[in-house]
Amino acid sequence: METQPTRGKLGRKPRSIYVYSLGLAFNPGLRRVLRALGYRVRVGVPVQPDAEVAVWGRKPTSERGIKIARMCRRNLLTLEDGFLRSVLAGRAKGPPLGVIFDRTGLYVDGFGASDLQTCIEASRVLSDEAIAQSQDGLERLRALRVSKYNQFDPAQNRDLPDRFVLVIDQVVEDTSVLYGGANHETFRIMLETARQHHGDLPVLIKRHPDAARGRKRGYFDDVTSATDMLLSSDNSNPWDLFDRAVAVYTVSSQLGMEAIFAGHRPHVFGGPFYAGRGLTHDHSPGQVARPPVSPAMLYHAAYRCYTRYFDPYFNVETDDIRTSFTLAAGARHAALGGASVFWDMRLWKRPFLRRYLSKGKARFLKDRDAALRVARNKGRAVFAWAGKIDATDRKAAGAAGVPLIAVEDGFLRSRGLGATLVTPVSLCIDRTGIYFDATRASDCEAMISASVDLPDILQDRARSARERIVSAGLSKYNLDARSNLPDFPSGKEIILVPGQVEDDASIRLGCFGIRDNHALLRAVRRDFPNATLVYKPHPDVAAGLRDGKIADPDGCADIVTDVEDIAALFPHIDRVATMTSLSGFEAMLRDVPVTCYGVPFYAGWGLTDDRVETPERRNARPSLDQLVHAVLIDYPYYWDPVTQQPCAIETILDRFERGQFGRAGGAFNRVLSKAQGALISFGPFWR
């Protein structure tokens, strides 16, 4: 699996394309994309011999460019949004991540020639390796549930019936409709055919996002009052609809192709590019049968051969793999809905919480009940730092009818300590509990339990991320290993015992026996009397910022190390023994055995040596990569520290590998963190 942004396919001097519409000439986002894909946008007369004239689709403004291309005898290049475009619909919402360049015709013209039809023909003679890669891409698309536009609300489809007929609406006189030989009558016939073929089932009309939001009209805007018909939400995920649909009907929508990838054979009433290939029920009288292709061949042609992709984080060309990861991450972030009410958040956290989570005006309130009142009046949730939430707070939120959502640092957090106020690049946002609280269920637990059904293609993604983390030596804080490694004896089992902050919430809510570092060391010495114990104090404790210092660790430990970055120790140890430290999970990433004396989020799943009783609800038995996907991909939300945009874990790994973080905490935060160290005895004041 490719995991790095690519340089771009051209690898040479940018080609000049001349444009004659304001949208193409002066849209900075689109110019940025085209520049990354190897094109320089110009306005004027295309005098260079290799210059091309570019138009966007067949809009009215395209006629000017078409005429100039003919007059100057220059090649006409037709641009369109790719089949993976963006999270939000509409060009004003941001540049496309996928762009189509066609020198032959229009891909929406299913009856004419286009570069896409050439790609489809070429896909029929692909190598077995290329077919396997395209099948992986198809399965990845289905598993990530991404589409052209990706602003979805997961709650929208919960009240839909289990079985229905899916009829796909489109924008009135859209290019794909006109070039597909369709009109209003075609849509009427399609709807009547669907109702006749499935008279005992309701018909669900999937509206186009632009029509549903009032920007344009759809063909079925005025025919949805019948009792046997339902309307989908404007932000319904089409993959959720495909799962329940017994049949899919379309004229020429891209969703017809996605329905094929979902396992359907859609009924097609227009002339889209994917019709006539043995993958559809064709109802258009003008449809010509073409040589058949498989869904994987169609995917290769449309997503790998025909479309080119832009990486918005590194301003380079990339591929369908990275683009699907980017859109999935963006869709998940958009589904948060925007946090507007925060309770008792520290001052230094407020700027990044506002950037990361708030899509409008954010209210930061110190008083819990005031926060609940404001949220109830707004119909919103209250976001609070997880360590401050207790059972009383949850009870008050329940009585107020307000969701109380826990926020916590992610597991790949930063290059520097949270106690030194370095801004995190990931956050865990949990609606049920929080990952370190073993006394109650959490979203993290639910995701780990569900991971046993993870598709192979996503397990491959988790394995790739894990291998990159290990190869780069990454951990939660990624500190510099300034001290020399200790001398490790040979011939004995070496056990790393990571110290923890003893008043940390993970100790309070995840330990039911041993609760301090000294007791942990004594227990490990008891259970492993012949081993060499290596004790590493917690970085916050060693820095004098938190509680947990042991007066005489040498009494139980054989080696006490001051190596700052714990990842430097993993290649030299045989086991980790911990209460609830994240270092246990980081050791698991490296296939190092872990013994747990508490109940961290990774214990109780059959992957650790558990010395205490774990919750009965943790009865799933995921593999390591399934666990990794749940914990590092499904659960946290990642934000790119350079562009300040939501992103996938792969982008964060790129940043870590390249050292592209800078002084993320800011000068003020660094001064404030030093003051906190001086005021350690007044912890409740600043924490």
Side-chain angles (χ1 to χ4, degrees):
M1 177 191 302
E2 182 174 343
T3 58
Q4 299 284 351
T6 56
R7 273 185 52 83
K9 297 178 182 177
L10 294 176
R12 60 178 183 267
K13 183 179 178 181
R15 300 182 63 167
S16 295
I17 54 173
Y18 285 79
V19 301
Y20 303 97
S21 68
L22 293 177
L24 283 174
F26 299 110
N27 185 312
L30 186 57
R31 290 173 71 102
R32 175 182 165 213
V33 173
L34 294 174
R35 185 165 57 250
L37 299 182
Y39 292 93
R40 179 183 291 114
V41 177
R42 295 180 178 274
V43 178
V45 180
V47 293
Q48 299 97 327
D50 61 345
E52 296 177 293
V53 173
V55 298
W56 193 275
R58 288 297 182 268
K59 297 179 180 297
T61 56
S62 300
E63 292 300 319
R64 187 183 307 116
I66 294 172
K67 290 179 181 178
I68 293 175
R70 289 172 181 165
M71 289 172 51
C72 298
R73 297 181 179 180
R74 293 292 180 260
N75 189 57
L76 180 68
L77 182 62
T78 300
L79 280 58
E80 278 279 5
D81 289 327
F83 304 117
L84 295 172
R85 187 201 184 275
S86 56
V87 174
L88 304 179
R91 191 161 300 135
K93 301 297 185 180
L97 300 189
V99 182
I100 287 166
F101 299 83
D102 201 311
R103 291 178 170 83
T104 304
L106 289 173
Y107 84 87
V108 295
D109 183 1
F111 302 116
S114 69
D115 288 352
L116 178 53
Q117 290 296 343
T118 301
C119 289
I120 294 175
E121 286 298 320
S123 73
R124 298 177 58 241
V125 293
L126 288 173
S127 67
D128 291 342
E129 180 182 4
I131 287 291
Q133 291 174 347
S134 297
Q135 183 64 36
D136 285 348
L138 187 159
E139 292 176 3
R140 184 181 300 106
L141 194 74
R142 182 165 54 206
L144 294 173
R145 306 178 90 74
V146 292
S147 184
K148 183 175 184 176
Y149 305 115
N150 296 276
Q151 187 178 15
F152 306 133
D153 182 352
Q156 288 298 322
N157 297 326
R158 291 175 182 168
D159 296 331
L160 293 178
D162 292 334
R163 298 172 72 248
F164 51 75
V165 179
L166 180 61
V167 175
I168 299 169
D169 196 8
Q170 293 177 246
V171 169
V172 172
E173 295 188 349
D174 184 74
T175 307
S176 68
V177 174
L178 299 179
Y179 277 84
N183 52 33
H184 279 83
E185 181 67 8
T186 310
F187 281 83
R188 186 193 68 78
I189 293 172
M190 175 176 67
L191 181 59
E192 287 303 313
T193 303
R195 297 174 77 176
Q196 292 172 7
H197 288 179
H198 307 276
D200 57 335
L201 290 175
V203 172
L204 176 69
I205 294 179
K206 172 69 176 77
R207 306 184 70 188
H208 189 281
D210 285 339
R213 293 164 191 165
R215 290 193 286 262
K216 297 179 180 179
R217 283 188 52 77
Y219 285 97
F220 294 138
D221 283 356
D222 302 323
V223 296
T224 55
S225 59
T227 57
D228 65 338
M229 287 194 290
L230 305 168
L231 270 180
S232 76
S233 165
D234 60 339
N235 50 7
S236 295
N237 191 318
W239 296 93
D240 294 340
L241 304 182
F242 295 149
D243 287 345
R244 302 189 195 184
V246 299
V248 177
Y249 287 75
T250 184
V251 170
S252 58
S253 170
Q254 176 184 323
L255 294 185
M257 175 173 62
E258 293 176 6
I260 293 171
F261 297 154
H264 288 278
R265 187 176 182 183
H267 294 261
V268 176
F269 287 75
F273 62 88
Y274 53 82
R277 296 283 184 177
L279 300 172
T280 54
H281 296 291
D282 298 318
H283 296 263
S284 172
Q287 183 62 59
V288 176
R290 295 187 171 102
V293 295
S294 68
M297 293 173 182
L298 179 62
Y299 180 91
H300 183 277
Y303 288 80
R304 297 181 72 87
C305 172
Y306 189 55
T307 309
R308 295 174 64 186
Y309 301 95
F310 170 67
D311 185 315
Y313 310 105
F314 296 92
N315 290 319
V316 294
E317 185 167 6
T318 186
D319 58 17
D320 57 307
I321 300 174
R322 288 296 290 258
T323 303
S324 62
F325 292 161
T326 295
L327 290 177
R332 186 163 173 257
H333 177 255
L336 281 172
S340 58
V341 183
F342 296 88
W343 163 49
D344 198 18
M345 291 293 187
R346 301 179 201 169
L347 285 173
W348 77 272
K349 293 179 179 178
R350 296 181 184 184
F352 74 76
L353 289 172
R354 184 181 283 109
R355 281 197 307 273
Y356 291 176
L357 301 180
S358 179
K359 295 181 175 63
K361 184 178 180 181
R363 294 285 302 276
F364 290 90
L365 300 169
K366 183 70 174 177
D367 182 73
R368 182 200 67 194
D369 293 335
L372 292 175
R373 283 196 301 272
V374 172
R376 183 178 56 209
N377 292 338
K378 290 176 174 287
R380 309 303 288 270
V382 169
F383 287 69
W385 207 256
K388 296 185 177 182
I389 301 174
D390 60 23
T392 303
D393 301 321
R394 294 190 182 280
K395 183 176 180 180
V402 174
L404 182 57
I405 299 178
V407 182
E408 184 56 69
D409 288 333
F411 306 119
L412 283 172
R413 186 197 183 279
S414 54
R415 191 175 295 280
L417 297 175
T420 58
L421 314 191
V422 176
T423 302
V425 298
S426 66
L427 292 175
C428 298
I429 300 170
D430 201 308
R431 292 168 173 80
T432 307
I434 193 64
Y435 72 87
F436 56 72
D437 185 356
T439 67
R440 59 184 295 123
S442 68
D443 291 351
C444 185
E445 272 193 3
M447 291 172 180
I448 295 173
S449 294
S451 71
V452 295
D453 298 320
L454 194 69
D456 290 344
I457 192 66
L458 296 188
Q459 293 187 55
D460 291 342
R461 181 188 185 189
R463 185 177 305 110
S464 176
R466 178 167 65 90
E467 290 171 350
R468 291 184 67 186
I469 290 170
V470 173
S471 176
L474 300 181
S475 59
K476 182 174 183 177
Y477 297 114
N478 303 286
L479 304 171
D480 294 329
R482 297 173 183 170
S483 303
N484 293 328
L485 290 171
D487 293 328
F488 296 103
S490 59
K492 295 179 68 175
E493 183 180 21
I494 299 175
I495 299 179
L496 174 63
V497 183
Q500 293 186 242
V501 176
E502 292 179 355
D503 63 348
D504 191 72
S506 70
I507 300 294
R508 291 187 287 106
L509 300 172
C511 292
F512 310 104
I514 295 172
R515 289 175 174 267
D516 63 77
N517 293 319
H518 203 215
L520 172 64
L521 278 170
R522 291 198 303 268
V524 179
R525 174 61 72 199
R526 179 196 66 220
D527 293 344
F528 300 91
N530 299 319
T532 296
L533 304 191
V534 180
Y535 178 68
K536 183 193 178 309
H538 189 280
D540 288 351
V541 175
L545 299 173
R546 302 291 296 273
D547 297 326
K549 186 175 181 180
I550 298 178
D552 183 23
D554 295 331
C556 293
D558 298 292
I559 298 173
V560 179
T561 179
D562 61 356
V563 171
E564 291 198 25
D565 193 351
I566 198 168
L569 298 172
F570 289 135
H572 306 280
I573 63 173
D574 301 302
R575 178 178 296 272
V576 167
T578 183
M579 291 182 285
T580 59
S581 172
L582 179 62
S583 59
F585 176 67
E586 293 169 346
M588 293 170 66
L589 299 181
R590 295 155 172 87
D591 294 315
V592 176
V594 178
T595 297
C596 297
Y597 291 85
V599 188
F601 64 89
Y602 51 84
W605 308 103
L607 297 171
T608 52
D609 170 26
D610 300 323
R611 298 303 173 103
V612 296
E613 185 176 352
T614 58
E616 292 184 3
R617 61 182 180 270
R618 299 188 184 182
N619 51 20
R621 289 296 176 262
S623 68
L624 176 58
D625 287 322
Q626 289 169 339
L627 178 76
V628 167
H629 195 282
V631 171
L632 290 182
I633 297 176
D634 283 339
Y635 190 49
Y637 291 77
Y638 293 97
W639 278 266
D640 177 35
V642 176
T643 64
Q644 295 296 317
Q645 295 294 322
C647 66
I649 187 175
E650 288 78 11
T651 297
I652 293 299
L653 295 177
D654 291 335
R655 295 298 188 196
F656 275 120
E657 291 170 352
R658 301 175 185 203
Q660 295 175 331
F661 282 87
R663 304 294 292 275
F668 175 76
N669 283 359
R670 293 194 296 277
V671 172
L672 183 58
S673 72
K674 292 181 182 297
Q676 288 185 354
L679 296 172
I680 183 67
S681 60
F682 299 94
F685 169 75
W686 53 266
R687 284 166 45 204

